[in-house]
Each structure stands twice: as C-alpha cells, then as structure tokens.
Amino acid sequence: MENIRQIFDFGWPYVRRYWGRLALGILLGVAFGLFNATFVWGTKTLFERLEPVESTMDVPHTNAVPGAWKAKLNALNDRVLAVADGWLPRVGVPLETKQIIGGLMFLPILVFLRSGIGYASVYCLGWVSEYAVRDIKLDAHKKLQGLSMDYFHARQLGDHTMLINRGAGSLHRCLTYGVADAIKEPFTILGLVAAMFLLDWELALFGILFAPLSVIPIYFVGRKLRRVAKVAYTKGTEQDSLMVEVYTNMRTIKAYGLERLQQSRFAEIYQKLARVGMKSLQARHLQNPVIELLSMFGAGVIILFVFHTGKSTPQLVGFLTGMIMLYQPIKKLGGINQYYQEASVGVGMLRTAFGTEPSVAEVTEAKALPRLREGLKFEVVDFSYGDEPVLRGLDVELPKGTKLGVVGESGAGKSTLVSLLLRFYDPTAGSITIDGADIREASLESLRGQMALVSQEIVIFNQSVADNIACGKLDATREDIIAAAKAANAHEFIEGLPEGYDTHLGEQGTRLSGGQRQRIAIARAFVREAPILILDEATASLDSKAEAEVQGAIDRLEEGRTVVCVAHRLSTLRGMDRIIVLEAGRVVETGGFAELMERNGAFAAMARKQGITSSSA
Ligand code: ADP
C-alpha cells in the first residue's frame, strides 16, 4: 500500500492538471464496471426464455434479498422485460422477424454499450496519462539540467536514460493501464457480486467463497516483481551506458580490435537481463492459473449446490456467467498490481532525482551581473572534490582585457580552476569576484553569459552548421553566424559543404575533421560576444596542421577579450600577458613568458621538455 501511496503522491500533481478528463474517465470507468452486471442479468433472462413459463413476470425470485430498493429493482427489471418481451424469442412461441432481430441483437447491444463505455473511459484516462507523463519527463529534464556537475560526475549516462525512459515509462504504463483498470475492475467486481447477490444470495455466497484467496498469489507475485524490477533497472542502466560507450567510441574499438571484448560485456548484461526477464515472466504467468483454479473451485461449488437444492437452469447459467466474469477482473487486478510494483521502483528513482538539490545553486535574489568592466579575481581560493585539496590559496587577479596563461603538469588543477570560474563548483574557501562582486551572488545565466568556452572536447550537436554556431547566442541572425564563421576561418569550408550552413552535421559532427569542428566551436564563441574567453587546451587534440588553422582563429578571438588560457603546449602561450604555473593546486611561479624562461624555474623546465629554450623564445 505504501508503494501505491508513493506513486499517487508523486503522480497526483501532474494528473490533477487534467482533472476534467480525469473525472470523466473515472465516471465512465465506474459505469463500465457496473455495466458488467447486465451480463448476469442478460444470460439469466435469455435462459429463462428457454423454459416454458407463461410470462417473464411470473419468474420466482428465489432467495431474493428483501428490501424496498430490491423491490424497486424488481419493478425495473419487470418493466424492461415487458418492453423486451416482444423482441426476444421464447421456447414454444413461433419466431417473428422482430424476435429474430431481437435475439440476434440482444447480446451485441449489451457488448456494444459495455465496450463503448470502456473505450471512452480508457480514452480519457489514457489522455491524462500521456500528458501527465509528458509533463513528468519534461520536469525530469529540467530538474536534471538544473543539477550541478558533481551529480553528473557521479553517474553514468545509463542512469539518465533509465530515469527518463524506464522510470517514467513504468509510471506511464501504470497510469495508462493501471489506473484505468484500478477504477473499472473493482466496480466490475462490485457490479457482478451485487447482481449475483440480487439473483440469489446463497448461491452468490458459495460462488465467491474462494475469491478472497486470490489475494495471496497477487501479494507474493507483487513482492517478487518489485525485486526483479530493481535488478532489471540496474542491469538496464549498465546496458544503456555500455551502448553509449561502445557506439560513440567505435574508432578506438575497431583500432584496438576490441569488438569481441565489448561483445562479451554485452553478453554478460543481456544474460542477466534474460534471467530477470524469465523470473518476471514466471511470476506474472503463475498468478493467473492460480486465480483461474480458484474460480473453478467456486464454479464447482455452485454446480454442486445447484444440484443439491434443485435450482433452475437460468439461475445456474446466470451464475456461471457471473463467476467466469468475476475472476477476469480479479486477474486484471493482479496485473495492475504488477504495474504498480514496477512503477514503484521507477517512481522511487524519479523521487530521488527530484529530491536532489544542486550543490551550486543561485541565491534567492541573484543579481544579474553587468558586462565585465574592471576584471576578475580569485581571492585565496581553496577547493577540493572530496578530502584531497585540489586548489590551495589561489590568488590571481586578471584586469579586463588581459590574458592569463595557466600551465602545470596533468592533475595540477588547471581544469578545476576553469570549472570554478564557470561556477560548476563553488570554492571551499575564499571567493571569486567579477568587478568586485562575488560570483555566488550573481545569477548563473548572467555569469556564464559573460564567458565563452573553447575546450579540448569539441562538442558538435546533431543539428545544422548554422544551428551549431547559433548555440553561442540563441538569437543570432544569419549575418551574425556568417560573420562569426568568417572570423573563425570556417566560412570557406562551410560554403563547400553540400548544403552550406544548412548542412546537417550528424552526431558529434562525424563528417568534419577535428580542425573543422574546432573552428565551428570557435565561431560559436565568436557569435557569443562574451567579454571573457576561456580556452581549455583548445588545440590539444589537434594535429599540427589543424592547430595552425585553428590558432589563427583563436588569436583573432582573443582580441579585446579577457582571456584565461589553459595550455599544455607552452608555445601557444607566448602572447599571454601573464602566466601562472600550478603545482599540486598551488601557484609556484608567475610572470610573462620571457620572464619565466629567464627565471629558469619550473616553467623553463617544462618548456625545455617541449624543446623550447630561452633563445628560441
Ligand atoms: P589538470 O586540468 O591540471 O590536469 P584537474 O583540474 O583536472 O587537473 O584535476 C586536479 C585534481 O582533481 C586531480 O587530482 C584530479 O584527479 C582531481 N579531479 C578532477 N576532477 C575531479 C572530479 N570530478 N571528482 C574528483 N576529483 C577530480
């Protein structure tokens, strides 16, 4: 029950938005459920006419439940029968056209009405479910995109796909089928049981004797399914992550002949998925035979009782119809339970994600940061991802329009410095200010809007060239885009693409060379017109020819901007006004390129390793 309550608590705010359709769907579902009772009445009515009774009104109401409302129902029944009498065939009376039509149409009309109501109910509830799940997925994306980088570092891609696809998917199934059935089926049971009691309460009592026992398999199967669903989610996450890993790195996999290794990783996951799939299938399909068996015990008892007491055939037939119909909704309720158990795991995942707070959040009254006027400053900044300090007492000032080079061995903390400036993380101590204002006080949009990042991982979206450049500034015009591409030395090759700026680049821009992709990324930085430029090993992944093409574009991009340039290749730092050398998170040297070379310290040592000497500087 706790699970169902959690699903309800989570889903209700979304479902409630569509209350009109929801209410209509529920009402129709109730009507559908109760309408099933007419089949008990219908079959009994038909079979009564097989017996040579003078008039339907003379049918004895054996063991009838007394009471005023019962009398009213009987009166209604009699009135309906009085109308139907002319339309229905009767044993011993010659058939007329009217009765042939009536005989043919009696059950189809009941079924048509029942199905029509059922369809309308499912339509309304399905509509609510589709749109509620759309909203949930959108909210989940919004939530995820609002979380900080630490959340993403701690997770695999499969976690996100599982959350959106299967977490929300299980809720979707639960809302679409589970809710509709959860409304229809109990009322079907209620309607059928009521009809059976109205017909004959003793028979009804014996017939449904075994029904409560159905709860036992439903309970155990539900528990098992939830356990299995948890394993399936974990394995599904691994599967999705591995898929992304493998198919985005096909070059390396082929080059190293890793196909078979990857295949064995897939095989392991799929083996486990097949096993949990079978467990789930077993649990699901063992439930129904048990319920069916119980229903047949019920039918057996009725048959015995009817023979024992000598009740009429119409009653027996009406009852058996009721019995057979009764265990259908019970089976369905078992099925709904399966949806709920699986959805409870999905909702658990969604609730955890929705309950996560970004570690880097905006303050309540975050100020919009005006465009850079004076400069930026790191003031005694300490930072650590966990226990180990990564940056220690970092004190750097960067007046507007100056260029700062950041160098250091791998792991020295260079990228971390950039991450702090972009406020992917907050310093553990100290502060970073822009024009004297702490960046923690600023809105994230206005802060990041001042910066353009060109990094070693070149991101090309699965969109057109123009759209890829316009990512830098969403309202960029075509003129802005072309101007940016020209500045980035990209215009020419873009024009040479099959559809120019409208050429679709495909995932990760596989149609382009590394240098071309980087020039598109630089055009994106140009169009942004941001005063602060962050270059994070922008040319590190390029060969020397591509580097030469890109470097020209970068030099132009640096003009008039405040630049933070992280570089491994020290020769790219000649134009910097100042360079800081990081070692284990501390600044160990600072100065201009020539000055540092002359000092013959850590920087000069690194430069020598790259074949740069003071004389060549
Ligand atoms: P650099 O860019 O100079 O190579 P980084 O700033 O990437 O160095 O990393 C500095 C240190 O922080 C390294 O020891 C690295 O292992 C650690 N580190 C980097 N990113 C993370 C992270 N997301 N979680 C934990 N530790 C990290």
Side-chain angles (χ1 to χ4, degrees):
M1 276 324 266
E2 181 59 21
N3 296 326
I4 295 180
R5 207 179 58 83
Q6 280 185 0
I7 298 173
F8 184 81
D9 284 352
F10 182 82
W12 179 240
Y14 292 96
V15 168
R16 194 177 48 191
R17 299 174 189 172
Y18 308 109
W19 65 270
R21 281 183 172 81
L22 180 69
L24 188 61
I26 291 176
L27 272 178
L28 287 165
V30 171
F32 173 88
L34 295 177
F35 195 80
N36 281 296
T38 58
F39 283 85
V40 176
W41 167 82
T43 41
K44 172 185 158 273
T45 302
L46 279 184
F47 274 83
E48 271 171 2
R49 303 178 74 86
L50 285 171
E51 297 195 341
V53 181
E54 278 312 297
S55 156
T56 45
M57 286 170 217
D58 298 337
V59 175
H61 299 291
T62 44
N63 280 324
V65 179
W69 58 279
K70 167 73 183 175
K72 272 191 201 142
L73 266 180
N74 279 337
L76 176 70
N77 180 35
D78 293 344
R79 236 177 299 143
V80 173
L81 285 182
V83 178
D85 195 40
W87 286 91
L88 290 176
R90 172 180 288 284
V91 165
V93 180
L95 278 178
E96 292 170 16
T97 325
K98 212 170 140 185
Q99 285 161 345
I100 294 174
I101 296 173
L104 271 176
M105 297 304 289
F106 184 64
L107 288 179
I109 286 174
L110 286 187
V111 170
F112 176 77
L113 285 174
R114 173 180 178 267
S115 310
I117 297 172
Y119 172 80
S121 163
V122 167
Y123 179 88
C124 290
L125 294 173
W127 201 97
V128 174
S129 148
E130 288 296 335
Y131 286 89
V133 170
R134 175 198 64 175
D135 297 347
I136 289 173
K137 283 185 177 172
L138 281 174
D139 272 9
H141 280 297
K142 191 167 160 201
K143 179 75 205 181
L144 285 181
Q145 294 189 39
L147 290 177
S148 309
M149 286 311 294
D150 55 342
Y151 180 87
F152 297 98
H153 278 306
R155 277 165 186 80
Q156 305 173 298
L157 205 126
D159 284 303
H160 313 312
T161 58
M162 282 302 283
L163 183 72
I164 304 289
N165 292 344
R166 299 200 199 181
S170 67
L171 189 59
H172 178 229
R173 277 193 300 282
C174 178
L175 287 177
T176 307
Y177 306 110
V179 171
D181 284 350
I183 294 161
K184 282 193 306 194
E185 305 311 332
F187 282 96
T188 304
I189 296 175
L190 194 75
L192 289 171
V193 169
M196 280 155 64
F197 269 93
L198 284 174
L199 266 186
D200 191 317
W201 66 269
E202 275 181 10
L203 266 183
L205 215 53
F206 278 102
I208 62 167
L209 201 63
F210 291 94
L213 292 179
S214 309
V215 173
I216 300 169
I218 292 178
Y219 171 76
F220 282 106
V221 165
R223 250 186 17 172
K224 170 127 189 141
L225 279 175
R226 192 145 37 97
R227 274 202 306 268
V228 170
K230 276 192 188 146
V231 182
Y233 277 117
T234 320
K235 288 291 142 200
T237 305
E238 287 173 22
Q239 171 205 248
D240 290 3
S241 298
L242 184 61
M243 288 248 286
V244 175
E245 199 177 301
V246 168
Y247 293 108
T248 50
N249 295 308
M250 266 335 270
R251 265 170 73 90
T252 311
I253 288 171
K254 281 193 185 296
Y256 280 81
L258 298 176
E259 293 92 338
R260 227 179 295 153
L261 175 72
Q262 307 307 331
Q263 195 61 16
S264 67
R265 292 172 77 192
F266 275 122
E268 194 189 321
I269 291 174
Y270 287 137
Q271 173 70 17
K272 293 217 172 92
L273 276 174
R275 216 175 300 147
V276 289
M278 273 318 291
K279 280 198 181 140
S280 154
L281 184 116
Q282 275 173 313
R284 276 170 218 276
H285 291 270
L286 270 178
Q287 177 175 287
N288 284 352
V290 175
I291 295 175
E292 267 164 23
L293 205 66
L294 289 171
S295 82
M296 286 306 117
F297 274 120
V301 171
I302 286 185
I303 291 169
L304 278 185
F305 194 70
V306 166
F307 276 105
H308 179 67
T309 52
K311 304 226 178 215
S312 68
T313 317
Q315 267 173 324
L316 176 64
V317 175
F319 253 84
L320 286 181
T321 309
M323 283 293 303
I324 290 165
M325 286 180 74
L326 180 66
Y327 281 88
Q328 284 301 331
I330 295 182
K331 277 200 283 189
K332 280 222 177 139
L333 282 180
I336 303 172
N337 185 41
Q338 301 174 357
Y339 292 128
Y340 278 97
Q341 298 301 347
E342 283 173 5
S344 77
V345 181
V347 164
M349 285 163 42
L350 284 165
R351 279 162 57 103
T352 311
F354 276 72
T356 310
E357 288 303 324
S359 54
V360 175
E362 286 184 345
V363 290
T364 346
E365 284 181 16
K367 290 188 277 284
L369 207 59
R371 201 173 163 85
L372 181 73
R373 287 184 311 256
E374 294 157 23
L376 46 99
K377 225 189 229 177
F378 282 72
E379 292 179 63
V380 225
V381 168
D382 285 348
F383 179 76
S384 72
Y385 290 101
D387 299 332
E388 279 293 295
V390 172
L391 290 179
R392 298 177 236 213
L394 193 73
D395 229 352
V396 182
E397 197 175 343
L398 191 60
K400 184 182 175 199
T402 53
K403 301 186 180 76
L404 177 76
V406 183
V407 300
E409 298 294 345
S410 173
K414 305 180 294 291
S415 297
T416 304
L417 182 150
V418 166
S419 296
L420 292 189
L421 187 55
L422 282 158
R423 216 181 157 219
F424 292 156
Y425 301 91
D426 279 334
T428 3
S431 63
I432 302 170
T433 58
I434 288 185
D435 296 341
D438 193 319
I439 60 171
R440 279 173 290 209
E441 306 292 321
S443 74
L444 288 171
E445 194 183 339
S446 72
L447 171 70
R448 293 176 187 159
Q450 308 245 12
M451 307 191 190
L453 171 72
V454 181
S455 75
Q456 149 175 251
E457 23 167 323
I458 309 163
V459 177
I460 297 291
F461 296 101
N462 189 4
Q463 290 175 314
S464 71
V465 177
D467 288 342
N468 259 290
I469 295 176
C471 286
K473 189 171 136 209
L474 295 178
D475 56 357
T477 61
R478 187 47 79 106
E479 286 72 39
D480 295 339
I481 291 170
I482 294 175
K486 282 185 176 158
N489 281 344
H491 180 68
E492 243 170 69
F493 87 79
I494 294 173
E495 289 279 84
L497 292 172
E499 288 163 68
Y501 281 85
D502 295 315
T503 311
H504 215 81
L505 289 179
E507 242 167 72
Q508 284 305 316
T510 33
R511 296 165 169 213
L512 303 176
S513 74
Q516 289 173 329
R517 285 190 289 150
Q518 190 59 301
R519 278 180 280 160
I520 288 188
I522 290 170
R524 187 185 290 157
F526 262 112
V527 88
R528 193 165 179 79
E529 293 176 328
I532 302 169
L533 171 66
I534 301 171
L535 299 164
D536 190 357
E537 310 260 16
T539 55
S541 62
L542 304 178
D543 56 38
S544 48
K545 181 172 167 282
E547 187 188 353
E549 291 166 357
V550 168
Q551 194 58 50
I554 289 182
D555 291 344
R556 208 167 309 138
L557 184 59
E558 284 177 0
E559 279 165 28
R561 285 176 226 269
T562 309
V563 180
V564 176
C565 176
V566 174
H568 183 66
R569 241 175 256 168
L570 301 189
S571 56
T572 54
L573 294 177
R574 284 179 209 276
M576 295 292 126
D577 298 306
R578 198 148 49 95
I579 295 168
I580 57 171
V581 182
L582 287 179
E583 244 177 50
R586 265 185 223 287
V587 178
V588 291
E589 268 184 352
T590 171
F593 193 95
E595 187 186 343
L596 288 175
M597 287 303 290
E598 252 166 55
R599 198 176 296 166
N600 211 9
F603 183 82
M606 282 162 66
R608 269 196 302 277
K609 277 191 215 159
Q610 296 181 14
I612 307 169
T613 55
S614 321
S615 52
S616 69

